[in-house]
Amino acid sequence: MRELVHRESLPAMKQRKAVFGILSLIAFCVGIFVGIATAMAMISGTEGMASLGAGLAGIVVILLASIPSFVFAVIGLIREERPPWPALLGFFLSVIPGDLA
């Protein structure tokens, strides 16, 4: 009879490293930085109601930039990377902003 093999007992070579999970976290951080930098650059040259538009533009940039983070996290979860926490963290951090975008 065939023995059932648990995933934890597989050799280290068979387990996939957390590549896409880490890319997800990097993409999320870069997206937040670019969104804040965009908003700050636009706010510095405006006054009054125009500064509200600059803040909204920064929020939109952050929301759009979280889409690649979401995609990388989903790929990491599908590949069942080990350790799974980078992909899970990237997924939970970007699922709501990615959904809103």
Side-chain angles (χ1 to χ4, degrees):
M1 279 189 106
R2 252 175 132 174
E3 289 184 34
L4 295 176
V5 178
H6 296 285
R7 290 183 186 214
E8 291 81 19
S9 66
L10 290 175
M13 291 175 33
K14 299 280 184 179
Q15 295 179 352
R16 294 186 173 147
K17 293 183 180 178
V19 175
F20 285 98
I22 294 171
L23 279 176
S24 171
L25 294 176
I26 291 171
F28 186 76
C29 291
V30 167
I32 288 177
F33 176 76
V34 168
I36 290 173
T38 301
M40 296 304 282
M42 291 176 76
I43 288 174
S44 68
T46 59
E47 294 180 9
M49 290 298 288
S51 63
L52 177 65
L56 290 176
I59 291 171
V60 168
V61 168
I62 290 172
L63 292 177
L64 291 176
S66 68
I67 293 173
S69 172
F70 178 75
V71 170
F72 286 142
V74 169
I75 291 171
L77 291 173
I78 289 172
R79 290 183 64 209
E80 298 179 355
E81 297 177 342
R82 296 286 176 235
W85 68 265
L88 286 171
L89 183 62
F91 177 79
F92 286 119
L93 286 175
S94 62
V95 70
I96 293 174
D99 186 42
L100 291 175

